[in-house]
Amino acid sequence: MQPEARGAVAAPRAPLEWGQLNFLHTTDTHGWLEGHLKEQNYGADWGDYVSFTRHMKHKAGNLGVDLLLVDTGDLHDGNGLSDATTPNGALSNPIFENVDYDLLTIGNHELYVSEIAYETFNQFSKVYGDRYITSNVQIINPATGKFEYIGSRYRYFTTDHGLRVMAFGVLYDFTGNSNVSKVIKARDLVKESWFLDAVNFPQPIDLFVVLGHNPVRTTVSSSTFGIIYSTIRSLRPKIPIQTFGGHTHVRDFVVYDTMSTGLESGWASMSGINSSTFNGNQKPRGVPNPTQKAVKVVNGTAVTGNASTPSSNLVYSRRYLDWNRLTFEYHATGSQEGTFDYHSGQRVTTEITKDRKQLNLTALYGCAPETYCQSCKPFLAEGNIFKLLQTALAATVINSSRADIPRLIIINTGSIRFDLVEGPFTFDDSFIVSPFDDAFQFIPDVPYALASQVIGILNAGAFQKRSSDSDAPEDRNLSPRDFHFNTPLIPSDACTAPDEGKPASILRPRPEAKKQPLTTRNLLTRQFPPLTPGYVTSDDFGITGDDTPHSRIPYYPQPNDLQANASFPTDGTLPQTVDLVFLDFIGAG
């Protein structure tokens, strides 16, 4: 953990279920390798995760089962550790590379800027070799002038215990990439001869893995997993398919059929894979095992899935892990506080601390007197960040030569990516709250009667999408809706933080503890601590997926765009004309 981070106090509810094949899945890290320093439940850093993955790999070996580490992209745009360098990711990518992933794929945030796309092609993809799979993403090789795949098209491999796996990596149909790269649409990918040959590979396949920066839930409009799944299933009806998604920044688990599920993201395990070459344990001893069939659960009751697929002996589990050391220590083998850290993990933690100091990320810019949230309060209510922004935009977005001319200033709400948290506001926080380099443009002397209609038209239209091609409200990006902030412990003479442990003022206070006595064999009782606010997840397996129980944080939808008024007549009348000011991102749309 970083020096400023706080340890979690809410522990996991139970050990993980270990199966024949197990997965640890990350996605959408967006440079947050330092951990979420102001969020008590999510304060582990990448060094902690390095140690955790090494413990879990060792445990898998002792149990005689396989564990695959998977990541589904978006390493940039969201944190100072990645965004304060030129090029973006120059320091954060080498830190990320300390995790020995088995399967990775690309995200859309690796493709916006040509320089980053080429860094991914020339450096990052080479670190992982054929494990970095970009089945539908190509880039122009400057040496040849021709398009080449950034990573491998697919990976066929055998696990340590003999499972034969065919893996693809599929980005959703992203269109915002720079002109040096190309994203092949899923409907075209599944027609390509190499893809069909890989699905019908001449060597035996025990399992298909489809990973992608792509929503696992096929009802999300940006998801293309449905096309990939249906193509594979039509050609190979008796082979399990496991998908790993990303992009939506939500926890989710989806049942496609009796032999196919999808995770986004965390822990998954499965048993019952038929393989003539598997030499491990289907039901490892001494740990819980997966027991749930791939059947959707609605209101606690299993419902029939896809009737076109045969019955299956496969059983599954999934768990969404809070990103903190308490979680990692609980689930890793022999990893109490004194024995958890590997030297490699400690080295990474030290490197993050050094890089943050080098980038001056802890430099204090100011002090937030309270937390202003994106979605835990209604739009423009007290404590909503967009109400604060109305004041800030009017006070700071000024063309000095036209300062006295009335103006309407419009920004897209998607330009704000995280809450402004009570306490010290640092250089790092400037990237966390709004990492984009958008510029303001304006149209002078627009009749107010016309200009005043623009905000309504924008908010009635589609969401201006920077990194999501879906209008579904669940497709939010980097939303803190599921987080709970506590006062950060960052010493500063210039910014006095409130009392340690006090919940941030805008978020809900912790609910009163409900005394639930737990009777033990000798009739002793203990009290459960109150739940901390955080993730409360419902998916196709029901409501049992969250590793650590939390109370739900309220969520209020926000409009596409925000408008601020400035230099209006002081007598309350409306101007005849205004300067219409807007972000170039909106103008480009």
Side-chain angles (χ1 to χ4, degrees):
M1 287 173 59
Q2 292 301 295
E4 308 97 313
R6 302 186 63 187
V9 296
R13 58 179 173 81
L16 297 172
E17 295 96 334
W18 285 80
Q20 174 187 15
L21 178 59
N22 309 274
F23 302 90
L24 268 173
H25 173 212
T26 55
T27 187
D28 293 279
T29 51
H30 286 281
W32 286 79
L33 306 186
E34 67 199 44
H36 288 229
L37 302 180
K38 298 179 181 179
E39 301 159 58
Q40 192 171 25
N41 293 329
Y42 315 102
D45 67 21
W46 204 247
D48 299 322
Y49 191 62
V50 169
S51 294
F52 179 55
T53 57
R54 292 195 60 179
H55 277 293
M56 297 298 273
K57 280 281 193 177
H58 182 72
K59 185 171 184 175
N62 289 341
L63 292 172
V65 298
D66 287 310
L67 170 63
L68 299 181
L69 306 181
V70 180
D71 183 81
T72 50
D74 265 13
L75 310 186
H76 306 82
D77 302 325
N79 187 279
L81 191 62
S82 64
D83 300 353
T85 60
T86 303
N88 181 312
L91 294 179
S92 60
N93 276 10
I95 293 171
F96 183 94
E97 292 160 7
N98 282 279
V99 174
D100 190 21
Y101 281 101
D102 298 283
L103 296 169
L104 309 90
T105 193
I106 199 166
N108 56 294
H109 279 260
E110 280 73 81
L111 298 175
Y112 282 112
V113 179
S114 297
E115 187 178 23
I116 294 173
Y118 275 121
E119 190 282 333
T120 304
F121 175 56
N122 292 320
Q123 279 86 41
F124 186 80
S125 68
K126 303 304 186 288
V127 171
Y128 289 102
D130 68 345
R131 293 174 289 170
Y132 192 70
I133 310 172
T134 61
S135 303
N136 68 328
V137 182
Q138 299 177 335
I139 194 168
I140 297 173
N141 187 332
T144 64
K146 297 180 180 180
F147 278 104
E148 297 181 12
Y149 287 90
I150 291 179
S152 58
R153 292 181 298 178
Y154 62 89
R155 185 186 182 207
Y156 178 79
F157 66 102
T158 302
T159 67
D160 290 343
H161 291 90
L163 291 174
R164 297 157 296 188
V165 179
M166 175 62 76
F168 301 102
V170 184
L171 178 64
Y172 74 99
D173 289 348
F174 177 55
T175 59
N177 49 303
S178 72
N179 60 8
V180 302
S181 62
K182 176 169 63 176
V183 179
I184 301 166
K185 294 186 182 299
R187 65 173 180 269
D188 299 321
L189 171 65
V190 297
K191 299 174 185 176
E192 295 201 7
S193 58
W194 74 260
F195 179 83
L196 297 173
D197 289 345
V199 173
N200 291 305
F201 207 62
Q203 298 181 49
I205 297 173
D206 299 320
L207 174 73
F208 285 101
V209 172
V210 181
L211 61 152
H213 198 73
N214 210 327
V216 291
R217 192 162 295 277
T218 58
T219 54
V220 175
S221 61
S222 60
S223 176
T224 60
F225 271 169
I227 297 171
I228 308 300
Y229 156 76
S230 60
T231 300
I232 296 174
R233 178 55 70 234
S234 65
L235 296 172
R236 306 299 294 266
K238 297 182 180 180
I239 299 178
I241 303 170
Q242 181 63 45
T243 73
F244 296 93
H247 186 57
T248 58
H249 295 229
V250 297
R251 296 175 168 185
D252 204 3
F253 185 84
V254 177
V255 173
Y256 301 121
D257 63 39
T258 57
M259 297 185 295
S260 305
T261 68
L263 176 71
E264 190 181 343
S265 59
W267 170 268
S269 64
M270 57 191 300
S271 292
I273 303 171
N274 292 321
S275 173
S276 61
T277 56
F278 181 68
N279 55 27
N281 294 320
Q282 286 267 1
K283 295 181 178 180
R285 295 181 178 179
V287 291
N289 302 139
T291 58
Q292 194 158 349
K293 296 281 190 178
V295 177
K296 294 181 181 180
V297 174
V298 178
N299 296 326
T301 303
V303 297
T304 303
N306 188 341
S308 65
T309 55
S311 60
S312 169
N313 293 323
L314 290 167
V315 287
Y316 297 84
S317 78
R318 85 316 186 200
R319 196 81 67 81
Y320 308 114
L321 309 182
D322 281 2
W323 190 270
N324 59 64
R325 278 180 64 100
L326 184 58
T327 293
F328 295 165
E329 291 167 4
Y330 179 89
H331 290 306
T333 299
S335 58
Q336 284 67 40
E337 180 65 30
T339 59
F340 174 75
D341 291 299
Y342 277 87
H343 290 303
S344 55
Q346 290 178 320
R347 176 179 52 78
V348 171
T349 292
T350 300
E351 185 72 14
I352 293 171
T353 304
K354 179 181 71 68
D355 287 347
R356 281 175 49 76
K357 183 177 181 180
Q358 175 185 338
L359 294 171
N360 208 26
L361 293 180
T362 60
L364 187 66
Y365 275 19
C367 181
E370 57 182 302
T371 293
Y372 300 90
C373 66
Q374 280 183 290
S375 57
C376 73
K377 291 285 188 177
F379 184 61
L380 299 184
E382 291 296 332
N384 176 269
I385 194 170
F386 299 111
K387 181 176 177 60
L388 177 67
L389 274 173
Q390 279 192 327
T391 302
L393 290 168
T396 61
V397 181
I398 301 171
N399 181 333
S400 58
S401 65
R402 303 177 66 84
D404 296 331
I405 296 174
R407 57 194 180 277
L408 300 180
I409 307 163
I410 297 175
I411 67 168
N412 59 307
T413 55
S415 65
I416 303 300
R417 302 279 291 214
F418 226 77
D419 290 359
L420 173 59
V421 181
E422 178 183 22
F425 183 84
T426 65
F427 182 43
D428 195 16
D429 292 315
S430 71
F431 293 99
I432 291 170
V433 175
S434 185
F436 304 114
D437 292 328
D438 298 323
F440 284 98
Q441 300 175 335
F442 78 100
I443 303 173
D445 304 321
V446 180
Y448 176 79
L450 297 177
S452 61
Q453 298 180 45
V454 172
I455 186 68
I457 294 170
L458 290 172
N459 281 332
F463 186 75
Q464 291 106 34
K465 309 167 190 70
R466 186 184 303 273
S467 58
S468 171
D469 283 351
S470 170
D471 300 330
E474 64 267 28
D475 286 355
R476 59 196 184 279
N477 285 304
L478 282 182
S479 170
R481 153 181 174 177
D482 299 299
F483 299 137
H484 174 58
F485 298 113
N486 279 292
T487 301
L489 296 180
I490 304 177
S492 172
D493 295 336
C495 182
T496 303
D499 295 337
E500 176 182 344
K502 170 188 171 185
S505 59
I506 291 302
L507 299 184
R508 268 56 34 224
R510 296 181 180 181
E512 293 298 319
K514 295 181 179 179
K515 298 181 178 180
Q516 304 175 47
L518 176 64
T519 303
T520 62
R521 188 174 300 174
N522 56 0
L523 300 180
L524 296 177
T525 62
R526 68 179 176 91
Q527 305 297 329
F528 285 114
L531 297 179
T532 59
Y535 283 99
V536 179
T537 309
S538 177
D539 59 25
D540 281 4
F541 269 9
I543 57 173
T544 58
D546 292 313
D547 189 46
T548 302
H550 292 291
S551 61
R552 188 183 300 276
I553 295 175
Y555 172 75
Y556 297 91
Q558 308 293 313
N560 299 340
D561 297 278
L562 166 74
Q563 177 178 287
N565 304 341
S567 299
F568 269 42
T570 57
D571 61 4
T573 61
L574 296 175
Q576 292 297 311
T577 62
V578 295
D579 286 352
L580 183 61
V581 185
F582 49 90
L583 290 179
D584 56 0
F585 175 74
I586 296 176

